[in-house]
Amino acid sequence: MGSTSAHNNGEGVGRRDLIKRSAALGLISVPTMGFLSACATGGGGGDDKETKAPGGEKSAKNPLGVKKGAAMEAFIFKGGLGDQYAKDAEADYNKTYGVTVKHTGTQQVGPKLTPRFAGGNPPDVIDNSGADHLDMNKLSTQGQLQDLQALLDAPSLDDAAKKISDVIHPSTIEKGKHGDVFDVLYYAFTIYGTWYSQKAMDDNGWEYPKTFDDMVKLSGDIKKKGIAPWTYPGKYPYYVHFNLFGQIAKIGGMEEWIAIDNLEPNAWTKSDAVKQVVEFYEELAAKKYFLEGSQGLTHIQSQTAWNKGKAMFIPNGSWVENESAPTTPKDFGMAVGALFDGGAGDKMPQGTLRAEPSEPYIVSSKGKNPAGGMELLRIMLSKKHAQNFATKVKSLTCVVDATEGMTLSPGLASASSVFKTAGDNLISLQLQEWYPALTDEKIGGLTGQLLTGDLKAADWIKKTQAYADAVAKDDSVKKFKREQ
């Protein structure tokens, strides 16, 4: 996602620049995918991904063969992004196909839909986000997810000469595959980082620090002013991992992090980067640089304390601008900073950023109207609806250049700027998505103790390795592997 200046000066965009144009997501307050063990699906398996519903006549204007008047159902996660953006796209679908999409906005996607998949009557299109999402790996294995290749091959609503695959960022396609089958559309991007008020920094003559040492020094200055340097949602300490894990990859390099993703023996204990990063958080805790009482706060409460100026920095994802909007002062100047430098030995340079495709949409292959489900996604991937998403939720979609010429909100403009600076130095991690019980519950519990000063860095590392080893040996947990 380019900065506003790049939008205005007509710079060309190469393939490598595309991610900068499709930046910032607004997701939810938890990792996107994760895998619930309790997602029974039933209803047969195999590789039957063909659309069985009676289709309509395919034409230039109806490339997916949607039957006019056929019922269609959408199930949309209603978290930090709300669901109005989806309703707006549904309104255009309704006009075109002469129906009213049956819409459900919910935070309980998994609990509500697990029995429906088991019963063979799932909704047609699902925004599968939130803490209680469906296990997409299991659904894909059982043939419950529609192969979305037809969507990728369909013409864009904005330019019939371009396929959908031409107008979305390539990493969206890469991440949405199970094996060779593209069956998940990540509609947006999240960037993770350290969020702060630009106004508060300017008022005090401070600059966002570039290194761990600078951050520790600045935190001391902030504390002297009677402000807590940091807060975090202690009820969900895995929020700290959004930065902590990214820092390990930035300092140690992706090869070291991929060993962690792959649950390799001693991946945590043999890494100097892990030691350096965890000791940084141990130092912040020892010097009491966290807002008192943070360990008892929810994500909303910690964001509100931050908005009210009680703390300067908060680890978060780019959904925070929309989610915390009700308590954000007008002149707050929401901004996000990249990962800190550890030292001269860092494997990745200053400005490196963690950024990932997010907000997974799936279409049920055994729904009543899979063609309609794909068509709704095609509508959402138009510039009109990508811009509507950016306006409504202060976030961008995977549609390249969709926000050309738009005025961006402060947090989104800041995200744009750090994306431009990062260039190709972008980090994407899998551990939190593949093994959420490990990261959010087990390691999260350790991180909570680390930040209150009740656990030393060395013990955090040793216990984290033991938890990872236990998952590696547990045959009941499906394993995934990243290539180096």
Side-chain angles (χ1 to χ4, degrees):
M1 156 182 141
S3 68
T4 46
S5 63
H7 286 157
N8 294 335
N9 66 17
E11 285 177 5
V13 187
R15 293 296 274 181
R16 289 182 171 190
D17 292 317
L18 296 185
I19 193 166
K20 302 168 202 163
R21 302 283 197 187
S22 44
L25 159 267
L27 183 76
I28 38 165
S29 36
V30 290
T32 322
M33 286 173 54
F35 305 109
L36 290 185
S37 56
C39 177
T41 51
D47 53 8
D48 176 15
K49 295 194 182 215
E50 290 303 309
T51 301
K52 289 185 176 172
E57 190 91 11
K58 289 188 181 179
S59 66
K61 286 197 171 177
N62 185 8
L64 295 165
V66 179
K67 187 175 182 186
K68 293 218 170 186
M72 224 274 280
E73 185 180 2
F75 226 83
I76 308 297
F77 176 74
K78 191 175 180 179
L81 300 178
D83 61 349
Q84 186 59 46
Y85 73 92
K87 289 180 179 177
D88 294 343
E90 290 162 16
D92 279 1
Y93 181 97
N94 295 343
K95 276 183 221 157
T96 307
Y97 295 102
V99 293
T100 299
V101 172
K102 184 181 177 186
H103 176 99
T104 303
T106 181
Q107 293 196 15
Q108 283 82 47
V109 177
K112 289 187 176 180
L113 293 187
T114 294
R116 291 190 54 183
F117 272 99
N121 65 329
D124 300 297
V125 64
I126 301 155
D127 171 15
N128 186 37
S129 280
D132 293 322
H133 48 252
L134 295 156
D135 181 339
M136 293 190 292
N137 294 278
K138 194 171 284 187
L139 289 172
S140 182
T141 302
Q142 296 182 347
Q144 297 272 9
L145 301 188
Q146 178 69 26
D147 184 336
L148 300 177
Q149 187 62 45
L151 171 65
L152 293 180
D153 292 339
S156 157
L157 281 173
D158 301 301
D159 181 352
K162 288 184 175 177
K163 296 178 180 179
I164 292 294
S165 58
D166 297 326
V167 301
I168 63 176
H169 188 264
S171 68
T172 306
I173 298 172
E174 185 185 351
K175 184 156 184 175
K177 288 183 174 181
H178 285 102
D180 294 328
V181 179
F182 176 72
D183 55 13
V184 183
L185 174 76
Y186 286 89
Y187 186 58
F189 266 82
T190 297
I191 78 159
Y192 299 95
T194 301
W195 293 77
Y196 58 95
S197 161
Q198 189 63 58
K199 181 182 187 298
M201 296 285 273
D202 291 345
D203 287 352
N204 288 284
W206 296 327
E207 282 189 17
Y208 182 78
K210 293 184 174 179
T211 69
F212 279 154
D213 289 346
D214 290 344
M215 175 50 89
V216 172
K217 183 178 180 302
L218 177 59
S219 293
D221 295 341
I222 292 169
K223 192 176 179 185
K224 282 177 198 157
K225 287 262 187 176
I227 307 166
W230 288 82
T231 187
Y232 64 95
K235 295 260 187 189
Y236 313 108
Y238 61 77
Y239 267 64
V240 177
H241 299 162
F242 297 156
N243 282 357
L244 191 155
F245 290 175
Q247 281 290 166
I248 292 168
K250 191 257 184 228
I251 293 169
M254 282 307 297
E255 196 171 319
E256 275 196 18
W257 183 265
I258 288 170
I260 289 173
D261 274 346
N262 290 344
L263 302 176
E264 288 180 16
N266 306 315
W268 294 94
T269 49
K270 72 184 178 189
S271 165
D272 289 338
V274 169
K275 184 172 185 289
Q276 185 177 1
V277 173
V278 181
E279 284 178 353
F280 165 72
Y281 284 96
E282 180 183 50
E283 184 175 1
L284 294 182
K287 291 184 171 170
K288 304 203 180 306
Y289 285 161
F290 293 108
L291 177 67
E292 201 173 335
S294 288
Q295 65 267 34
L297 300 180
T298 65
H299 56 299
I300 299 296
Q301 289 167 333
S302 63
Q303 288 162 193
T304 301
W306 171 64
N307 281 163
K308 288 182 174 174
K310 293 181 181 177
M312 183 60 70
F313 299 114
I314 191 168
N316 223 311
S318 46
W319 62 83
V320 68
E321 186 173 23
N322 194 58
E323 193 172 62
S324 68
T327 59
T328 306
K330 280 196 171 67
D331 61 351
F332 189 74
M334 194 173 290
V336 60
L339 296 164
F340 305 116
D341 288 351
D346 287 12
K347 294 290 198 302
M348 298 181 78
Q350 169 66 45
T352 294
L353 197 66
R354 179 178 173 190
E356 298 170 4
S358 50
E359 205 65 17
Y361 271 78
I362 53 179
V363 174
S364 309
S365 62
K366 294 173 170 56
K368 292 187 175 68
N369 192 357
M374 289 193 285
E375 178 67 4
L376 179 63
L377 296 181
R378 190 171 79 104
I379 291 168
M380 289 171 61
L381 291 167
S382 66
K383 274 196 177 176
K384 172 185 172 180
H385 288 286
Q387 290 188 353
N388 184 52
F389 185 81
T391 302
K392 284 227 162 57
V393 305
K394 305 179 181 73
S395 300
L396 299 184
T397 66
C398 59
V399 181
V400 177
D401 273 345
T403 55
E404 191 86 30
M406 287 180 72
T407 301
L408 303 180
S409 57
L412 201 49
S414 175
S416 172
S417 175
V418 293
F419 254 94
K420 188 172 187 189
T421 301
D424 294 335
N425 298 305
L426 299 170
I427 287 169
S428 179
L429 311 176
Q430 294 288 46
L431 193 76
Q432 202 153 5
E433 303 208 350
W434 286 348
Y435 311 110
L438 169 64
T439 59
D440 301 358
E441 295 164 28
K442 299 291 192 184
I443 304 176
L446 298 177
T447 301
Q449 294 174 57
L450 179 75
L451 301 187
T452 53
D454 295 324
L455 188 70
K456 295 294 181 195
D459 293 322
W460 186 98
I461 295 167
K462 195 192 307 178
K463 290 181 176 184
T464 290
Q465 185 66 63
Y467 283 141
D469 291 344
V471 173
K473 290 172 187 158
D474 185 347
D475 291 339
S476 72
V477 179
K478 183 171 171 59
K479 306 303 189 305
F480 306 93
K481 189 168 170 61
R482 286 182 83 169
E483 299 305 319
Q484 291 284 3

